[in-house]
Amino acid sequence: MNKYRMILVVLLAAVLALLPMLLRRDDLINLAFMVLLYICLGQSWNMLSGFAGQTNLGHSAFFGIGALVTRWLWATLELPVMLAMILGGLAAAAFAMVIGVPTFRLRGAYFAIGMLALGEMMHAVIAQVLPFNDTLPVQLIAGYSLAMRYYVALILTIIILGFSTWLLRKPISLGLFAVREDEDAARASGVNPLYHKLFALALSSFFGGVTGGLYAYHQVSYYPQSVFGGNWTLDALLITYIGGLGTVIGPVVGSLFFVALRELFSSIFASFNLVVFGALFIVIVLAFPGGLVELLRKFQRGR
Amino acid sequence: MLEVKNLGVAYGDVRAVWDISFHVNVGEIVVLIGPNGAGKTSTLRSIAGLQPIVAGQVDYLNKPIHQPKLFTHAHELVSQGIVLVHEGRRLFGSMSVSENLELGAFSPQARKVKNRTLTQVFEMFPRLAERKDQRANTMSGGEQQMLAIGRAMMGLPKLLILDEPSLGLAPLVVKLIFDVIRELNQQGMTILLVEQNAKRALALASRAYVIEQGRIAGTGTGAALLNDPNVQHSYLGGVL
Amino acid sequence: MNFETLLQTLVFGFFVGSLYGVAAIGLSLVFGVMKILNVAHGELMMLAGYVSYFVFSLFGIDPFVSILISIPVLFCVGLLLDRLVYRRIHLLTGEAKIKNSLLVSFGLSLILQALAIQFFTADERAIQASYSGYSLTLGGIILPYTRLISLFIIFGVISLLHWFLQRTITGKAIRAAAEDAEAANLAGINIQRFYMLTLALSAALSGLAGSLVIIGYGITPTVGVVWLLRGLIVVVLAGTGSIFGTFSAGILLGLVEAISSTLFGAASREIVGLVMFLVVLVLRPQGLFGKKG
Ligand SMILES: Nc1ncnc2c1ncn2[C@@H]1O[C@H](COP(=O)(O)OP(=O)(O)OP(=O)(O)O)[C@@H](O)[C@H]1O
Ligand SMILES: [Mg+2]
């Protein structure tokens, strides 16, 4: 069994590593990139909303800040892109720490709508301050390689998933779960909720920002306000819930499903995938809080 | 009239009532006494249709109203004649006395004779008539309890269930409340009463049950329990 | 900046604020009674806007008359949504209920938006009635007829709603269910039925608001979140206690936005409300949506 699994992992790694050579078509490589981007997005959202139970409807703010800062450092100041992405993530995390203390006075749904307002506010501010299209300088466009984007995304995905797996084995994850289940009970048993929530927020905003940086690295040109759009929060939420909230594998499953469905339906009915996703999301929230991962497990056990 | 058989009630995984059986005949006053946390309120809430049961059965007028897979909602039971005066009174605090009473007569049959019932309530509690435009949460505890009972009367109960109606009230008001309960009973209303004030309640009771830790721990006529040394020791403060 | 321009700005702020008020009353009704945070409220308004748009463009029905269609249509949509979706949340309590209602209605708003984009296209729609361009001029201040009629209708409807909730037995039952659902149930009130009615009433209010929005402003499939956020801001400012309190807070937001856009430029209009919102949220996280501060 273990040997079997080992072979599977090696095979998977090989396929992932060679994917651009195997696919050879830009549109397919791009799809692979999108899957990876959404895994990172979903998993970064999951760290706060899934692991620590703080539903964040303003994740787009972190994504956007990461994107803007990365883009500026990389395209304008010509820093190496990996370094720029890390700094982008740190900028998002710094912003998160500033807003974290006041917004964590809010609980549950109030935190959610507070963050929603914050996300919308950032969106509105950026739309006013940076209304122009941002296109890469000519020399960067000339050297543009999609395969390169794919590999950076792959590395980031491996880091985020590996980190999450590691995190869930550490004692602090128990504190996060305790806060998620019942904040008052957690406090009564000696867990400091604010500290744990800030910790989860820091991770979530950092990786959210790095993911934004990845997107900024990928786009030849975009409107700065577009990276602050509420759709980034929404996608993260859908992917994570549908895959499986609070699990490492959930966003992976959700993201594959999300991109596949979007491709499948886009030719028939432009936003039909959103209708399907919305409906699936509602069903999952109401009836199967474990998401697809849990359903698959049940199915396996049932057999 | 009411038959409770091996009732079990739980909150999630925590069992509050294990095994409670008792019955109430037409025209009786049946009293349940027991220490804090014994499961009295849970029992009453289940009977009245606020809380699903996990074991046993409750029959009303010889028909099952609650089983683990059968739940009759409170509003349906109100129209069948079961009305509960909840522990803590549970008035609509921001509404006036009149509005509270009007809402008590919400079921169609009660609404038809609303004015007549209202006269009866005001006769029984003249204080409510004086204060009919006052907001419920600005009234004294005693007045609030009168209103809670008045509101229940507006629903035309055949079986009136009261959960600790004398809790926290001055002795004079307690006497008034017990007089009202006796009078309602004499007018033909069947009464199921939970009380901490065991002495007064047992004096009134046709029969009574002692509940401890979610089980029936004793039963008898009101007079018999009043003279029971165990009951005297536990619930009557050792003195008679 | 002269006095007249300022006054004119304030007048327009007042008009748009009255719509914020209506949007907020719908939200706060559902939140106050059912403890459900319906973030699809904006999308319901959007739907109503399209109802008015289509009965105008297909059958030539006057936009103000079309309210008589959009209100019942949205009322039924509300009944349906309660049956299909929200009823399943009623079983929950407290935090879990609010959070799940938020998530579920989030999903719902996504579906409604996607359907609207597909069937109505992403183009902005507005209604130009024959009298749209005309206005009353009072001491140099322009008062467009459409806005005046809208305001008149809004006052009428919320007064009616106030009367309904305060004076009729059905309205009192709704208030009773809001105050203490179990006690209401013990009084003989079928909670589920009144929850359903409340959601439908709220949807009907979004019907009114949406139709008035398309007359005075314009509608796109994604316009919902704009009105939702305004509504949320107002509810946070005013609490869920009184209809006229909520309405006044709506007007206040409209005025503040107007003042801020004259002082700091049009851009600040989008932001000032959100800033107020966050400040109030953070300053009184417990008293949020409460009856009193
Ligand atoms: N909503 C609830 N959730 C969890 N446990 C509950 C709940 N309500 C009651 N309990 C528990 O059920 C048990 C019985 O409570 P209940 O209120 O029925 O007792 P009681 O006999 O009415 O007590 P008292 O005389 O204090 O009113 C108690 O242990 C109590 O802690
Ligand atoms: Mg009790």
Side-chain angles (χ1 to χ4, degrees):
Chain A
M1 186 65 203
N2 239 346
K3 204 181 218 170
Y4 174 71
R5 184 175 272 184
M6 193 78 135
I7 295 172
L8 215 66
V9 169
V10 171
L11 214 64
L12 184 69
V15 168
L16 285 176
L18 297 175
L19 204 62
M21 274 77 101
L22 295 173
L23 293 176
R24 270 189 280 166
R25 271 171 50 190
D26 272 2
D27 56 337
L28 294 182
I29 300 176
N30 200 42
L31 272 189
F33 173 86
M34 279 301 159
V35 172
L36 297 176
L37 179 85
Y38 280 124
I39 292 176
C40 297
L41 179 69
Q43 189 60 7
S44 67
W45 185 81
N46 196 21
M47 288 176 188
L48 178 62
S49 307
F51 298 167
Q54 308 299 307
T55 306
N56 172 6
L57 297 186
H59 199 58
S60 53
F62 307 141
F63 184 87
I65 291 174
L68 289 198
V69 172
T70 302
R71 185 86 162 193
W72 176 63
L73 293 174
W74 167 61
T76 311
L77 301 188
E78 299 179 0
L79 254 54
V81 70
M82 297 281 213
L83 179 63
M85 280 166 66
I86 292 171
L87 292 174
L90 288 177
F95 173 75
M97 289 302 99
V98 173
I99 57 146
V101 175
T103 42
F104 276 134
R105 292 188 56 192
L106 305 171
R107 282 214 197 170
Y110 304 124
F111 172 75
I113 57 169
M115 289 302 291
L116 175 69
L118 197 76
E120 287 299 318
M121 200 164 88
M122 289 299 290
H123 187 199
V125 170
I126 298 297
Q128 302 297 343
V129 181
L130 300 170
F132 308 109
N133 195 332
D134 174 3
T135 305
L136 288 180
V138 196
Q139 71 275 17
L140 283 179
I141 298 180
Y144 192 94
S145 145
L146 192 57
M148 205 47 218
R149 270 69 186 167
Y150 169 80
Y151 285 118
V152 173
L154 186 60
I155 293 170
L156 180 61
T157 309
I158 292 170
I159 292 176
I160 290 188
L161 294 182
F163 179 81
S164 302
T165 312
W166 176 80
L167 181 71
L168 290 187
R169 295 205 178 122
K170 291 277 134 192
I172 191 162
S173 66
L174 296 178
L176 296 177
F177 296 159
V179 171
R180 174 177 70 191
E181 299 312 325
D182 185 340
E183 222 178 299
D184 296 316
R187 183 178 293 111
S189 61
V191 172
N192 181 342
L194 181 63
Y195 165 76
H196 281 84
K197 289 197 283 189
L198 282 175
F199 175 73
L201 174 68
L203 293 177
S204 176
S205 57
F206 173 74
F207 285 114
V210 175
T211 308
L214 176 65
Y215 183 74
Y217 176 52
H218 172 265
Q219 295 292 300
V220 174
S221 80
Y222 69 3
Y223 282 94
Q225 70 183 82
S226 72
V227 286
F228 286 86
N231 56 308
W232 295 108
T233 304
L234 193 66
D235 293 346
L237 174 113
L238 288 174
I239 285 167
T240 311
Y241 262 92
I242 288 174
L245 184 71
T247 64
V248 176
I249 198 75
V252 179
V253 175
S255 163
L256 278 167
F257 197 70
F258 187 78
V259 175
L261 215 61
R262 194 163 70 177
E263 285 311 301
L264 209 66
F265 287 121
S266 63
S267 52
I268 331 168
F269 179 158
S271 41
F272 190 64
N273 62 319
L274 290 182
V275 177
V276 174
F277 262 95
L280 195 61
F281 173 69
I282 293 177
V283 170
I284 282 181
V285 169
L286 289 178
F288 307 105
L292 288 178
V293 173
E294 184 67 29
L295 272 179
L296 287 176
R297 265 195 210 124
K298 262 196 198 136
F299 183 67
Q300 266 182 350
R301 250 182 272 129
R303 273 194 316 179
Chain B
M1 177 176 226
L2 182 78
E3 169 111 39
V4 177
K5 292 182 265 190
N6 307 106
L7 179 72
V9 184
Y11 300 96
D13 297 333
V14 185
R15 199 73 181 256
V17 172
W18 288 96
D19 180 8
I20 285 186
S21 303
F22 67 91
H23 65 275
V24 182
N25 298 320
V26 175
E28 281 188 316
I29 298 182
V30 170
V31 169
L32 309 178
I33 57 174
N36 291 113
K40 307 180 295 292
T41 298
S42 305
T43 303
L44 297 190
R45 282 171 53 87
S46 294
I47 295 171
L50 289 178
Q51 178 86 34
I53 71 175
V54 297
Q57 174 164 330
V58 179
D59 292 354
Y60 175 64
L61 301 175
N62 300 317
K63 279 199 216 71
I65 51 172
H66 301 303
Q67 283 165 351
K69 290 210 166 92
L70 168 76
F71 179 59
T72 314
H73 284 276
H75 64 270
E76 299 165 69
L77 293 175
V78 170
S79 31
Q80 295 180 35
I82 301 183
V83 180
L84 167 68
V85 180
H86 201 284
E87 184 178 48
R89 306 189 271 265
R90 304 286 284 266
L91 297 173
F92 305 119
S94 73
M95 296 194 215
S96 70
V97 170
S98 311
E99 285 176 319
N100 270 278
L101 293 173
E102 186 183 1
L103 284 165
F106 193 81
S107 69
Q109 63 268 44
R111 209 181 303 178
K112 264 182 232 135
V113 294
K114 184 168 72 180
N115 292 335
R116 183 151 33 103
T117 330
L118 191 65
T119 320
Q120 288 167 6
V121 170
F122 283 161
E123 262 166 32
M124 197 156 280
F125 301 110
R127 185 70 71 87
L128 294 182
E130 288 162 24
R131 307 193 159 240
K132 61 184 194 306
D133 294 322
Q134 190 172 338
R135 272 169 63 122
N137 61 7
T138 63
M139 299 204 302
S140 75
E143 290 163 348
Q144 290 194 14
Q145 190 62 55
M146 294 176 207
L147 180 54
I149 296 175
R151 184 177 67 185
M153 284 170 64
M154 294 297 292
L156 305 180
K158 296 189 185 106
L159 172 65
L160 178 66
I161 309 181
L162 300 127
D163 195 351
E164 306 205 21
S166 76
L167 192 71
L169 301 183
L172 229 63
V173 188
V174 173
K175 183 174 179 306
L176 174 82
I177 299 287
F178 276 97
D179 287 347
V180 165
I181 293 172
R182 175 176 289 135
E183 174 156 358
L184 286 173
N185 179 248
Q186 278 163 2
Q187 289 172 9
M189 208 180 277
T190 309
I191 308 259
L192 173 60
L193 172 68
V194 160
E195 254 306 329
Q196 295 280 351
N197 195 333
K199 194 167 142 191
R200 271 223 148 83
L202 290 177
L204 208 65
S206 327
R207 290 178 305 108
Y209 296 83
V210 181
I211 298 183
E212 280 170 12
Q213 292 174 15
R215 293 188 168 81
I216 296 287
T219 178
T221 62
L225 286 181
L226 266 178
N227 295 319
D228 183 316
N230 284 332
V231 172
Q232 283 180 6
H233 176 75
S234 308
Y235 304 109
L236 303 172
V239 285
L240 190 59
Chain C
M1 149 116 331
N2 60 22
F3 181 69
E4 225 162 69
T5 332
L6 178 69
L7 209 59
Q8 183 69 63
T9 319
L10 287 180
V11 164
F12 279 116
F14 188 90
F15 284 131
V16 73
S18 66
L19 280 171
Y20 296 164
V22 180
I25 290 170
L27 270 177
S28 95
L29 190 62
V30 167
F31 190 83
V33 175
M34 304 160 78
K35 310 295 175 288
I36 275 183
L37 201 52
N38 180 22
V39 293
H41 196 74
E43 275 65 33
L44 296 180
M45 286 175 63
M46 178 266 290
L47 279 187
Y50 282 108
V51 169
S52 284
Y53 176 77
F54 284 111
V55 297
F56 175 76
S57 54
L58 298 179
F59 310 113
I61 293 176
D62 182 272
F64 286 110
V65 177
S66 76
I67 291 171
L68 295 177
I69 299 169
S70 65
I71 287 184
V73 166
L74 266 289
F75 186 88
C76 296
V77 169
L79 291 180
L80 199 70
L81 287 182
D82 184 76
R83 235 5 233 269
L84 291 178
V85 184
Y86 291 103
R87 177 160 296 189
R88 282 159 228 282
I89 305 175
H90 297 342
L91 304 172
L92 303 171
T93 51
E95 251 327 280
K97 180 170 183 178
I98 300 176
K99 191 157 158 180
N100 275 16
S101 69
L102 177 75
L103 290 172
V104 164
S105 53
F106 215 54
L108 204 61
S109 70
L110 183 69
I111 296 176
L112 294 175
Q113 259 181 48
L115 290 174
I117 291 176
Q118 178 64 26
F119 293 113
F120 308 147
T121 78
D123 301 339
E124 172 154 11
R125 311 278 188 180
I127 293 181
Q128 288 297 320
S130 53
Y131 45 81
S132 283
Y134 296 91
S135 48
L136 191 69
T137 311
L138 246 157
I141 306 297
I142 301 166
L143 305 167
Y145 285 128
T146 51
R147 308 277 160 101
L148 285 175
I149 303 171
S150 293
L151 196 63
F152 186 72
I153 294 174
I154 289 172
F155 271 123
V157 170
I158 64 171
S159 304
L160 196 69
L161 183 67
H162 182 78
W163 170 83
F164 170 75
L165 288 176
Q166 294 299 324
R167 293 277 173 268
T168 67
I169 181 73
T170 312
K172 288 175 189 176
I174 288 178
R175 282 194 292 138
E179 222 178 300
D180 186 336
E182 279 187 352
N185 200 205
L186 285 174
I189 293 163
N190 182 346
I191 297 299
Q192 276 211 338
R193 180 177 301 165
F194 281 84
Y195 277 178
M196 193 167 171
L197 177 66
T198 305
L199 195 78
L201 275 178
S202 164
L205 278 174
S206 76
L208 169 72
S211 294
L212 295 181
V213 166
I214 198 168
I215 296 169
Y217 306 88
I219 290 272
T220 65
T222 52
V223 81
V225 66
V226 174
W227 292 92
L228 169 78
L229 278 174
R230 298 308 200 280
L232 279 176
I233 294 167
V234 173
V235 176
V236 167
L237 289 178
T240 59
S242 99
I243 289 182
F244 288 109
T246 307
F247 185 67
S248 317
I251 304 253
L252 180 73
L253 177 62
L255 293 176
V256 168
E257 282 188 357
I259 292 171
S260 146
S261 69
T262 31
L263 288 183
F264 311 111
S268 69
R269 151 170 247 127
E270 306 294 323
I271 299 159
V272 60
L274 292 168
V275 173
M276 269 160 73
F277 180 66
L278 283 174
V279 169
V280 174
L281 263 181
V282 169
L283 286 188
R284 49 165 217 191
Q286 293 83 16
L288 187 69
F289 296 121
K291 292 221 160 91
K292 283 153 220 120

